[in-house]
Amino acid sequence: WAGTIAQAVGQVVHLELHRLARLRLSRADLVARPDAWRRALLDAGVDEAHLDEALIRISRAIDGFAASELAGRLLDPASAQATSELALTAVIEGVVQSLRIDRSFVDGDGVRWIVDWKTSSHEGGDPGAFLDNELLRYAPQLRRYAEAMRALDPRPQRVGLYFPLLDAWREL
């Protein structure tokens, strides 16, 4: 799952969340769309032998978003300046970088949120340690997102990872 199939699952979940945001729908509007997901997985190169397992993983992630109060806040279409799959180009440490932020919005307190969706799951021991390690792993990416957004919007930020399969948030 750490390779091509996991990436394809993540891409399909991201596309589904982007569709939701584009249509200005809430998490309650997330429904299973197995035919669309199957086509997207096949287009991404997932073979028939792994298709059912990938579809189950997507369905679990989408169900996680739909059931979570936290995900509901992160996906709220009424949030100010809510956007999904925000493409930015920024000069960071002297290097031009193309970035894509999964979700950004401004909450009622005027704080800019920068959210990265993670469809990974934890199948072992300490889930807290797994989440902390994932935050360390993705911290450089999150810092780049924060710096790029700060150049556009100076307000306070909350930057982090959301894991729908674990209904967990880790903040930078």
Side-chain angles (χ1 to χ4, degrees), residues 18-26 29 75-83 103:
H18 183 54
R19 184 186 74 81
L20 186 81
R22 203 177 56 248
L23 296 173
R24 308 280 301 155
L25 300 173
S26 72
D29 297 300
L75 290 167
D76 186 355
S79 295
Q81 299 181 23
T83 186
R103 179 75 173 166

Side-chain angles (χ1 to χ4, degrees), residues 78-82 104-113 153 155:
S79 295
Q81 299 181 23
S104 183
F105 62 93
V106 177
D107 68 17
D109 295 326
V111 175
R112 164 72 61 188
W113 286 64
D153 183 354
R155 71 182 90 216

Side-chain angles (χ1 to χ4, degrees), residues 76-155:
D76 186 355
S79 295
Q81 299 181 23
T83 186
S84 176
E85 299 299 324
L86 176 63
L88 297 174
T89 301
V91 177
I92 299 173
E93 296 179 5
V95 178
V96 176
Q97 297 189 31
S98 295
L99 307 170
R100 185 168 301 271
I101 297 173
D102 293 343
R103 179 75 173 166
S104 183
F105 62 93
V106 177
D107 68 17
D109 295 326
V111 175
R112 164 72 61 188
W113 286 64
I114 300 168
V115 181
D116 196 32
W117 311 126
K118 293 298 173 200
T119 56
S120 51
S121 66
H122 181 60
E123 312 287 331
D126 182 2
F130 166 76
L131 294 168
D132 292 342
N133 286 334
E134 290 292 278
L135 181 60
L136 284 174
R137 178 179 167 197
Y138 289 102
Q141 174 184 329
L142 294 172
R143 285 188 186 101
R144 287 191 301 272
Y145 292 170
E147 186 173 338
M149 187 59 79
R150 198 174 295 106
L152 298 173
D153 183 354
R155 71 182 90 216

